[in-house]
Structures are given as C-alpha cells and as structure tokens.
C-alpha cells in the first residue's frame, strides 16, 4: 500500500515518539502563532525544543509553521473546540486562516503535553463529511451533530492518542482534545508543512487554537 512519509493513505493518524511525562514544567513554555522553526527553537522552552528536535529531517528542511497553546484546565474541561473539526482554524472562512482551511496538501505533526489525550474519528462517514470549502460555525455545529449521531450508531469509532505522544495527520482528519484528566497546565504544539501561511513569529497569550 502506498505511503506518505511512512503513513498509509487510509490511516487517519499515526503515533510517533513518546516523550517522558515527568519533570516537565510547562509554565516555562511560550505559546506561539505562525512561528518559523528557528524562532520557535529560540523562544520556546525545553519541552517545545524536544518536540521540534524530534521532527523528521525532511520537515525541518522546508517551509514549516509552528503554532502552540498553553492553558490551565480544571479536571473535566476540554482545551479548544468541543466540536469535531478537521480545519486548523475552525469557523474561519476569510483571509489566510480560510485559505489554510482549504489547503488539502497540508500535513501536521503535533503533541499535547499534560493530561489531555487527543481524539480522532475513524470511518467512511468522517471522510464523506469533508467539505471542499471552509465552513462557518453554524455549519460546523450541524456537522458535529451528524458525526455524533454516526458515533452513536457505531458507524464511526474514536481513536485516542495519549498525552505526551507525537502524532502525525493530514488534511481532513477530524479530531479534538479529550477532557483533562487532572487540573493543571496543558501545552499543545503543532508543526505544519505544505501550507504557505506567512510566518508571523508571534507570541500569543494563553489561548486556544
């Protein structure tokens, strides 16, 4: 079966490296927006640098965009969207974020450090729900309802990637953060290639993507 960087075409998500989950002070991380690799390495803490150093060499050689978030979550709360989304910027239909939502060539490698797993949807229904254009939030909510119904009917299954595990996925992979297992800081970082989004080298406040 054909592969892309070792990923089979029918695979939604591929687990990669597992990082130690002890001794990491996530408060030392700097959340970034549209950062280049060198800026990210210079600005981030040791956890982010370990992630960046673990990226495949072919990823480091090209145009790479780094985004990350740092949040404090109470136990039982979820980081980011509660809805199933495959867009890197859910609900955005305008400008550069809207163009990134359209870009089917984009590939991502990400990792969540803390106590929050990542959930991916597997099944033909999810693939059929990918739209050719970016959707507004009203349409995304309706899509989420349909996907939840398909999960309830067992036409879709949920694949969980544990926290502190690097994972790779392509455009059209529906995912979201699971609820936090314990209260504390959660740091999520994503590297994107195949997207010509301009580098901003921005430092964000503690927010969600």
């Amino acid at each position: 079966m054909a592969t892309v960087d070792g990923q089979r075409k029918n695979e939604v998500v591929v687990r990669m490296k597992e990082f130690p989950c002890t001794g990491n002070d996530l408060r030392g991380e700097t959340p970034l927006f549209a950062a280049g690799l060198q800026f990210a390495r210079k600005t981030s803490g040791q956890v982010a640098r370990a992630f960046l150093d673990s990226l495949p060499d072919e990823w480091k050689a090209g145009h790479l965009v780094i985004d990350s978030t740092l949040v404090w979550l109470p136990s039982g709360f979820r980081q980011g969207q509660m809805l199933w989304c495959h867009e890197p910027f859910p609900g955005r239909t305008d400008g550069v974020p809207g163009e990134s939502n359209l870009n089917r060539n984009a590939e991502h490698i990400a990792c969540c450090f803390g106590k929050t797993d990542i959930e991916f949807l597997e099944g033909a229904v999810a693939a059929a729900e990918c739209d050719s254009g970016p959707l507004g939030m009203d349409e995304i909510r309706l899509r989420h309802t349909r996907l939840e119904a398909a999960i309830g009917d067992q036409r879709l299954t949920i694949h969980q990637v544990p926290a502190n595990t690097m994972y790779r996925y392509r455009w059209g992979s529906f995912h979201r953060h699971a609820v936090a297992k314990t209260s504390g800081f959660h740091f999520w970082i994503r590297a994107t290639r195949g997207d010509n989004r301009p580098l901003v080298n921005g430092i964000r406040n503690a927010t969600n993507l």
Side-chain angles (χ1 to χ4, degrees):
M1 183 176 294
T3 63
V4 178
D5 285 352
Q7 182 174 0
R8 292 195 298 270
K9 287 187 176 181
N10 65 338
E11 286 182 309
V12 174
V13 59
V14 173
R15 298 187 192 186
M16 300 173 71
K17 179 176 179 176
E18 294 184 17
F19 294 94
C21 57
T22 58
N24 291 329
D25 186 0
L26 300 178
R27 294 172 296 178
E29 297 303 319
T30 301
L32 301 173
F33 176 73
L37 180 60
Q38 296 307 316
F39 181 85
R41 289 201 83 265
K42 179 180 178 181
T43 309
S44 297
Q46 63 178 3
V47 173
R49 286 195 294 271
F51 168 85
L52 296 171
D53 290 346
S54 298
L55 291 170
D57 289 341
E58 61 269 22
W59 281 58
K60 300 176 190 177
H63 180 76
L64 203 61
V65 186
I66 311 297
D67 295 291
S68 59
T69 61
L70 177 65
V71 297
W72 189 93
L73 290 179
S75 177
F77 280 68
R78 193 187 306 272
Q79 177 177 346
Q81 292 283 346
M82 297 179 62
L83 309 176
W84 292 108
C85 294
H86 67 78
E87 300 86 355
F89 301 98
R92 293 295 300 271
T93 61
D94 60 312
V96 173
E99 291 178 5
S100 290
N101 288 340
L102 274 172
N103 192 344
R104 293 172 179 255
N105 294 319
E107 299 175 274
H108 311 280
I109 295 178
C111 187
C112 185
F113 296 90
K115 297 295 183 179
T116 303
D117 298 342
I118 305 296
E119 302 172 330
F120 279 84
L121 289 182
E122 294 184 335
V125 174
E129 284 285 358
C130 292
D131 194 85
S132 59
L135 300 177
M137 286 310 302
D138 288 343
E139 291 87 357
I140 286 177
R141 291 187 183 95
L142 291 173
R143 184 182 67 189
H144 172 81
T145 300
R146 294 192 298 269
L147 292 171
E148 285 287 293
I151 295 170
D153 294 341
Q154 298 184 339
R155 291 178 291 139
L156 286 175
T157 57
I158 299 175
H159 177 94
Q160 250 177 331
V161 178
N164 307 299
T165 302
M166 179 183 277
Y167 58 96
R168 183 176 64 230
Y169 61 102
R170 298 189 297 272
W171 184 92
S173 302
F174 284 97
H175 63 285
R176 67 180 180 180
H177 289 261
V179 297
K181 299 173 184 175
T182 60
S183 299
F185 282 96
H186 297 265
F187 177 67
W188 179 76
I189 183 168
R190 176 183 68 204
T192 300
R193 74 167 181 171
D195 187 352
N196 292 323
R197 184 156 53 106
L199 298 181
V200 176
N201 286 336
I203 297 176
R204 63 169 71 241
N205 294 323
T207 59
N208 295 323
L209 274 178

